[in-house]
Amino acid sequence: MSDDGPERRFRTLFISDVHLGARGSQTNLLLDFLRVHDADTIYLVGDIIDGWALKSSWHWPQSHNDFVQKLLRKGRKGARIIYVPGNHDEFLRNYYGTHFGGIEVVENAIHTGADGRRYLVIHGDIFDLVVQNAKWLAHVGDKAYDLAIRLNRVVNAFRRWFGVPYWSLSQWAKHKVKNAVNYIGAFEETLAQEARRHGTDGVICGHIHTAAIRDFHGINYMNCGDWVESCTALAEHEDGRFEIITWTDLLKRNLPVPTVAARAA
């Protein structure tokens, strides 16, 4: 758990859908990512802890503790950490306005970029009709999703054996099934409309495990992705430019990482 070594520093990092407590959480890859990436501000955009999975069966390996300790250590070193709970960690919605080890828990946030543009930061589940109106169906879907993730681990074990890059079965299915494609499109459009309603220039969210940066008639929609399937984070550069970093690409992970000086306070 050393913090030494090359570091790529950003103005802001956005991480969502880690699902600590779920067997599909790829926390080791996230720890690997955080060892070489840092930021002045880190947003945790919901579903960091999977309360649904923990209620079903307790699963909390050492890597999950290591991730929590890594965040707390970054906070002690000066990073501002803001936690926006989602539906899987909805128990934290009882603690808006409080701090845990320096981590701020808020309902949503307005992030002002380096270029002055303002972004609504929200998990996004409140715009998911299944989660809001048929929670039992959401739980059934969650179990089916869990099965897909387990199958995905088997598939990728064989792919690693043959030296083939990581591939997400569930992400592939999302982009092939028409209803899933329509759902993602509707979700993105709805979140863009919510950003417009708040008078912001864009929205940064999670929830659907599909990383994206899109423009909806002048509103910038950005989704962090997740650390179960795609292993992605959203990063803001010092000039206000955003990019999605995918941490399953072994070639990118093995490249030398430039060190960027910290932004002046």
PDB file of all heavy atoms in Angstrom, residues 115-131:
ATOM      1  N   ASP A 115     -12.466  25.997 -15.766  1.00  0.00           N
ATOM      2  CA  ASP A 115     -12.845  26.990 -16.772  1.00  0.00           C
ATOM      3  C   ASP A 115     -14.103  27.760 -16.381  1.00  0.00           C
ATOM      4  O   ASP A 115     -14.636  28.537 -17.186  1.00  0.00           O
ATOM      5  CB  ASP A 115     -13.057  26.309 -18.128  1.00  0.00           C
ATOM      6  CG  ASP A 115     -14.080  25.175 -18.073  1.00  0.00           C
ATOM      7  OD1 ASP A 115     -14.684  24.961 -16.997  1.00  0.00           O
ATOM      8  OD2 ASP A 115     -14.277  24.495 -19.105  1.00  0.00           O
ATOM      9  N   GLY A 116     -14.597  27.542 -15.156  1.00  0.00           N
ATOM     10  CA  GLY A 116     -15.771  28.268 -14.683  1.00  0.00           C
ATOM     11  C   GLY A 116     -17.097  27.587 -14.967  1.00  0.00           C
ATOM     12  O   GLY A 116     -18.135  28.038 -14.470  1.00  0.00           O
ATOM     13  N   ARG A 117     -17.090  26.527 -15.751  1.00  0.00           N
ATOM     14  CA  ARG A 117     -18.336  25.814 -16.026  1.00  0.00           C
ATOM     15  C   ARG A 117     -18.784  25.049 -14.784  1.00  0.00           C
ATOM     16  O   ARG A 117     -17.966  24.517 -14.030  1.00  0.00           O
ATOM     17  CB  ARG A 117     -18.146  24.839 -17.205  1.00  0.00           C
ATOM     18  CG  ARG A 117     -17.974  25.571 -18.535  1.00  0.00           C
ATOM     19  CD  ARG A 117     -17.515  24.636 -19.643  1.00  0.00           C
ATOM     20  NE  ARG A 117     -18.505  23.598 -19.927  1.00  0.00           N
ATOM     21  CZ  ARG A 117     -19.526  23.739 -20.766  1.00  0.00           C
ATOM     22  NH1 ARG A 117     -19.713  24.886 -21.403  1.00  0.00           N
ATOM     23  NH2 ARG A 117     -20.355  22.752 -20.980  1.00  0.00           N
ATOM     24  N   ARG A 118     -20.105  24.982 -14.580  1.00  0.00           N
ATOM     25  CA  ARG A 118     -20.654  24.377 -13.378  1.00  0.00           C
ATOM     26  C   ARG A 118     -21.358  23.068 -13.721  1.00  0.00           C
ATOM     27  O   ARG A 118     -22.050  22.968 -14.739  1.00  0.00           O
ATOM     28  CB  ARG A 118     -21.642  25.346 -12.707  1.00  0.00           C
ATOM     29  CG  ARG A 118     -20.984  26.635 -12.240  1.00  0.00           C
ATOM     30  CD  ARG A 118     -21.986  27.708 -11.890  1.00  0.00           C
ATOM     31  NE  ARG A 118     -22.778  27.358 -10.705  1.00  0.00           N
ATOM     32  CZ  ARG A 118     -24.077  27.084 -10.722  1.00  0.00           C
ATOM     33  NH1 ARG A 118     -24.756  27.113 -11.857  1.00  0.00           N
ATOM     34  NH2 ARG A 118     -24.710  26.788  -9.600  1.00  0.00           N
ATOM     35  N   TYR A 119     -21.167  22.054 -12.843  1.00  0.00           N
ATOM     36  CA  TYR A 119     -21.697  20.724 -13.095  1.00  0.00           C
ATOM     37  C   TYR A 119     -22.463  20.223 -11.872  1.00  0.00           C
ATOM     38  O   TYR A 119     -21.958  20.284 -10.748  1.00  0.00           O
ATOM     39  CB  TYR A 119     -20.567  19.747 -13.417  1.00  0.00           C
ATOM     40  CG  TYR A 119     -19.745  20.145 -14.616  1.00  0.00           C
ATOM     41  CD1 TYR A 119     -18.606  20.944 -14.460  1.00  0.00           C
ATOM     42  CD2 TYR A 119     -20.106  19.754 -15.903  1.00  0.00           C
ATOM     43  CE1 TYR A 119     -17.854  21.329 -15.551  1.00  0.00           C
ATOM     44  CE2 TYR A 119     -19.360  20.132 -17.005  1.00  0.00           C
ATOM     45  CZ  TYR A 119     -18.235  20.925 -16.828  1.00  0.00           C
ATOM     46  OH  TYR A 119     -17.500  21.306 -17.917  1.00  0.00           O
ATOM     47  N   LEU A 120     -23.658  19.690 -12.111  1.00  0.00           N
ATOM     48  CA  LEU A 120     -24.415  19.012 -11.068  1.00  0.00           C
ATOM     49  C   LEU A 120     -23.817  17.625 -10.872  1.00  0.00           C
ATOM     50  O   LEU A 120     -23.686  16.861 -11.830  1.00  0.00           O
ATOM     51  CB  LEU A 120     -25.881  18.902 -11.487  1.00  0.00           C
ATOM     52  CG  LEU A 120     -26.795  18.060 -10.590  1.00  0.00           C
ATOM     53  CD1 LEU A 120     -26.942  18.696  -9.214  1.00  0.00           C
ATOM     54  CD2 LEU A 120     -28.160  17.867 -11.260  1.00  0.00           C
ATOM     55  N   VAL A 121     -23.437  17.300  -9.635  1.00  0.00           N
ATOM     56  CA  VAL A 121     -22.878  15.970  -9.325  1.00  0.00           C
ATOM     57  C   VAL A 121     -23.932  15.200  -8.539  1.00  0.00           C
ATOM     58  O   VAL A 121     -24.334  15.612  -7.450  1.00  0.00           O
ATOM     59  CB  VAL A 121     -21.575  16.084  -8.502  1.00  0.00           C
ATOM     60  CG1 VAL A 121     -20.989  14.698  -8.247  1.00  0.00           C
ATOM     61  CG2 VAL A 121     -20.563  16.972  -9.218  1.00  0.00           C
ATOM     62  N   ILE A 122     -24.393  14.102  -9.113  1.00  0.00           N
ATOM     63  CA  ILE A 122     -25.502  13.329  -8.536  1.00  0.00           C
ATOM     64  C   ILE A 122     -25.357  11.872  -8.968  1.00  0.00           C
ATOM     65  O   ILE A 122     -24.862  11.598 -10.076  1.00  0.00           O
ATOM     66  CB  ILE A 122     -26.854  13.930  -9.022  1.00  0.00           C
ATOM     67  CG1 ILE A 122     -28.035  13.317  -8.293  1.00  0.00           C
ATOM     68  CG2 ILE A 122     -27.003  13.833 -10.525  1.00  0.00           C
ATOM     69  CD1 ILE A 122     -29.350  14.064  -8.553  1.00  0.00           C
ATOM     70  N   HIS A 123     -25.749  10.929  -8.100  1.00  0.00           N
ATOM     71  CA  HIS A 123     -25.607   9.522  -8.487  1.00  0.00           C
ATOM     72  C   HIS A 123     -26.510   9.186  -9.677  1.00  0.00           C
ATOM     73  O   HIS A 123     -26.063   8.563 -10.636  1.00  0.00           O
ATOM     74  CB  HIS A 123     -25.927   8.602  -7.312  1.00  0.00           C
ATOM     75  CG  HIS A 123     -25.765   7.150  -7.642  1.00  0.00           C
ATOM     76  ND1 HIS A 123     -24.552   6.599  -7.977  1.00  0.00           N
ATOM     77  CD2 HIS A 123     -26.676   6.136  -7.709  1.00  0.00           C
ATOM     78  CE1 HIS A 123     -24.707   5.303  -8.240  1.00  0.00           C
ATOM     79  NE2 HIS A 123     -25.982   4.998  -8.082  1.00  0.00           N
ATOM     80  N   GLY A 124     -27.779   9.553  -9.602  1.00  0.00           N
ATOM     81  CA  GLY A 124     -28.679   9.368 -10.738  1.00  0.00           C
ATOM     82  C   GLY A 124     -29.800   8.378 -10.532  1.00  0.00           C
ATOM     83  O   GLY A 124     -30.716   8.295 -11.351  1.00  0.00           O
ATOM     84  N   ASP A 125     -29.784   7.624  -9.410  1.00  0.00           N
ATOM     85  CA  ASP A 125     -30.806   6.591  -9.217  1.00  0.00           C
ATOM     86  C   ASP A 125     -32.206   7.165  -9.035  1.00  0.00           C
ATOM     87  O   ASP A 125     -33.194   6.485  -9.310  1.00  0.00           O
ATOM     88  CB  ASP A 125     -30.456   5.728  -8.005  1.00  0.00           C
ATOM     89  CG  ASP A 125     -30.419   6.525  -6.714  1.00  0.00           C
ATOM     90  OD1 ASP A 125     -29.491   7.332  -6.537  1.00  0.00           O
ATOM     91  OD2 ASP A 125     -31.322   6.350  -5.888  1.00  0.00           O
ATOM     92  N   ILE A 126     -32.317   8.421  -8.586  1.00  0.00           N
ATOM     93  CA  ILE A 126     -33.653   8.996  -8.382  1.00  0.00           C
ATOM     94  C   ILE A 126     -34.379   9.209  -9.708  1.00  0.00           C
ATOM     95  O   ILE A 126     -35.584   9.473  -9.725  1.00  0.00           O
ATOM     96  CB  ILE A 126     -33.605  10.320  -7.591  1.00  0.00           C
ATOM     97  CG1 ILE A 126     -32.816  11.385  -8.346  1.00  0.00           C
ATOM     98  CG2 ILE A 126     -33.025  10.097  -6.209  1.00  0.00           C
ATOM     99  CD1 ILE A 126     -32.908  12.756  -7.716  1.00  0.00           C
ATOM    100  N   PHE A 127     -33.665   9.070 -10.826  1.00  0.00           N
ATOM    101  CA  PHE A 127     -34.293   9.181 -12.138  1.00  0.00           C
ATOM    102  C   PHE A 127     -34.476   7.813 -12.798  1.00  0.00           C
ATOM    103  O   PHE A 127     -34.803   7.723 -13.977  1.00  0.00           O
ATOM    104  CB  PHE A 127     -33.459  10.100 -13.033  1.00  0.00           C
ATOM    105  CG  PHE A 127     -33.309  11.477 -12.459  1.00  0.00           C
ATOM    106  CD1 PHE A 127     -32.157  11.825 -11.773  1.00  0.00           C
ATOM    107  CD2 PHE A 127     -34.337  12.398 -12.552  1.00  0.00           C
ATOM    108  CE1 PHE A 127     -32.027  13.076 -11.211  1.00  0.00           C
ATOM    109  CE2 PHE A 127     -34.213  13.657 -11.987  1.00  0.00           C
ATOM    110  CZ  PHE A 127     -33.060  14.000 -11.311  1.00  0.00           C
ATOM    111  N   ASP A 128     -34.270   6.763 -12.011  1.00  0.00           N
ATOM    112  CA  ASP A 128     -34.466   5.391 -12.480  1.00  0.00           C
ATOM    113  C   ASP A 128     -35.828   4.927 -11.968  1.00  0.00           C
ATOM    114  O   ASP A 128     -36.011   4.674 -10.777  1.00  0.00           O
ATOM    115  CB  ASP A 128     -33.348   4.506 -11.937  1.00  0.00           C
ATOM    116  CG  ASP A 128     -33.393   3.089 -12.476  1.00  0.00           C
ATOM    117  OD1 ASP A 128     -34.489   2.632 -12.880  1.00  0.00           O
ATOM    118  OD2 ASP A 128     -32.337   2.426 -12.480  1.00  0.00           O
ATOM    119  N   LEU A 129     -36.806   4.801 -12.842  1.00  0.00           N
ATOM    120  CA  LEU A 129     -38.174   4.468 -12.428  1.00  0.00           C
ATOM    121  C   LEU A 129     -38.255   3.089 -11.779  1.00  0.00           C
ATOM    122  O   LEU A 129     -39.082   2.859 -10.895  1.00  0.00           O
ATOM    123  CB  LEU A 129     -39.122   4.544 -13.631  1.00  0.00           C
ATOM    124  CG  LEU A 129     -39.356   5.945 -14.192  1.00  0.00           C
ATOM    125  CD1 LEU A 129     -40.252   5.878 -15.427  1.00  0.00           C
ATOM    126  CD2 LEU A 129     -39.979   6.859 -13.137  1.00  0.00           C
ATOM    127  N   VAL A 130     -37.404   2.159 -12.209  1.00  0.00           N
ATOM    128  CA  VAL A 130     -37.422   0.816 -11.614  1.00  0.00           C
ATOM    129  C   VAL A 130     -36.998   0.890 -10.154  1.00  0.00           C
ATOM    130  O   VAL A 130     -37.634   0.307  -9.268  1.00  0.00           O
ATOM    131  CB  VAL A 130     -36.500  -0.147 -12.401  1.00  0.00           C
ATOM    132  CG1 VAL A 130     -36.378  -1.479 -11.668  1.00  0.00           C
ATOM    133  CG2 VAL A 130     -37.042  -0.366 -13.805  1.00  0.00           C
ATOM    134  N   VAL A 131     -35.925   1.631  -9.882  1.00  0.00           N
ATOM    135  CA  VAL A 131     -35.432   1.748  -8.508  1.00  0.00           C
ATOM    136  C   VAL A 131     -36.456   2.457  -7.627  1.00  0.00           C
ATOM    137  O   VAL A 131     -36.703   2.068  -6.482  1.00  0.00           O
ATOM    138  CB  VAL A 131     -34.082   2.505  -8.484  1.00  0.00           C
ATOM    139  CG1 VAL A 131     -33.677   2.856  -7.056  1.00  0.00           C
ATOM    140  CG2 VAL A 131     -32.993   1.658  -9.140  1.00  0.00           C
TER     141      VAL A 131
END
